[in-house]
Amino acid sequence: MGHMDHFSAGWVTPVLSYAMACVGAALGLRCTVRALEADGASKRNWLTLASVAIGSGIWTMHFVAMLGFSVEGTPIRYDVPLTVLSLLMSIGVVAAGVFTAGYGRSRVTSVAFGGLGTGLGVAAMHYTGMAALDLHGEIDYDPRLVIASVVIAVVAATAALTLTLIVRGPVLATLAALVMGLAVSTMHYTGMYAVSVTLAPSSANLSGATATEFIFPLAVVLGSFLFLASAYVALSPTGKRHESAFAAELLRDVELATV
């Protein structure tokens, strides 16, 4: 059995990953609120930006935390296509939840299904990202902890959407982002404690990229986007007459940033 260290880089990775999750959640939830005040193309643009923000925030949190993950006796590599798929899956599944919350007629139903979709997006990203790991050995999971991690993600995402969509106010908006950031972080480490590694020592080279070659640069790019976009949204006008042009401009910036 391979000895795992989830904090090989100290407390820098868990603290920074939590900050990334909170920033993504704050931006995404704020955009969701803006969507409720808009209609037509503006509504769709705000919800799209919310999906990108939450999805990329979740992904960044996961892989920043993975920078502190090591297994004694084996190097770790990441399958690049699967890692990119985990990012796209995160954004796609979260989008299903966010659009449900944004377009639902019943606020209660919207929150319930939106929380379910967002929580499942967190879980889908995590386990797809874990499938991208390549090491000298086999990875197994404790099914009870896997189920617990998914439940944590869904319940906390639902709570965050409840605070955002049903009860308004800057204090509760901040609390919602902190709750969702905590949900993502708690889900991540619960899922990681479900992992066990059976080593198969080998001198063969592993395929894929190291964390510093691929994960770290992409995490920095996405993290920078989240912080800049958060400042952009915070300083943006809130009146309906400004919504369509501003949301469209933000969406163009997202598309340029992802090219």
Side-chain angles (χ1 to χ4, degrees):
M1 191 74 68
H3 174 71
M4 296 177 293
D5 187 353
H6 299 282
F7 307 102
S8 61
W11 287 99
V12 173
T13 50
V15 170
L16 183 58
S17 64
Y18 175 65
M20 292 295 99
C22 289
V23 170
L27 176 58
L29 294 174
R30 181 57 185 160
C31 290
T32 303
V33 171
R34 293 288 186 91
L36 296 179
E37 301 169 349
D39 50 30
S42 176
K43 187 183 191 75
R44 184 184 66 249
N45 290 341
W46 280 117
L47 291 174
T48 300
L49 183 59
S51 304
V52 174
I54 295 175
S56 59
I58 291 168
W59 189 95
T60 304
M61 177 275 145
H62 172 82
F63 282 103
V64 167
M66 290 302 291
L67 292 174
F69 177 70
S70 63
V71 180
E72 187 177 336
T74 178
I76 295 176
R77 298 291 185 271
Y78 294 87
D79 181 294
V80 174
L82 264 182
T83 302
V84 173
L85 176 63
S86 70
L87 172 60
L88 298 178
M89 182 177 293
S90 175
I91 294 172
V93 180
V94 166
V98 167
F99 272 79
T100 298
Y103 282 102
R105 294 183 179 180
S106 167
R107 194 61 61 83
V108 174
T109 302
S110 297
V111 167
F113 284 101
L116 176 63
T118 304
L120 291 178
V122 175
M125 182 284 310
H126 176 87
Y127 290 106
T128 304
M130 290 301 294
L133 262 68
D134 189 16
L135 45 74
H136 292 311
E138 295 291 332
I139 297 177
D140 295 306
Y141 296 91
D142 182 331
R144 294 168 298 178
L145 287 175
V146 170
I147 293 172
S149 69
V150 176
V151 170
I152 289 170
V154 171
V155 170
T158 303
L161 282 174
T162 300
L163 290 172
T164 302
L165 302 182
I166 294 181
V167 185
R168 301 292 180 85
V171 174
L172 289 176
T174 300
L175 179 60
L178 294 175
V179 167
M180 196 158 184
L182 183 62
V184 177
S185 298
T186 303
M187 183 272 157
H188 171 84
Y189 285 107
T190 302
M192 292 308 296
Y193 279 113
V195 173
S196 61
V197 178
T198 303
L199 291 178
S202 172
S203 59
N205 291 327
L206 293 169
S207 60
T210 65
T212 53
E213 289 173 342
F214 174 68
I215 304 300
F216 181 71
L218 187 54
V220 169
V221 170
L222 290 175
S224 299
F225 160 72
L226 290 174
F227 277 110
L228 291 173
S230 295
Y232 198 24
V233 172
L235 297 173
S236 70
T238 57
K240 270 193 174 184
R241 62 185 178 181
H242 301 292
E243 291 281 349
S244 181
F246 184 72
E249 184 179 349
L250 277 175
L251 189 58
R252 285 196 300 271
D253 288 347
V254 172
E255 292 172 347
L256 290 173
T258 55
V259 172

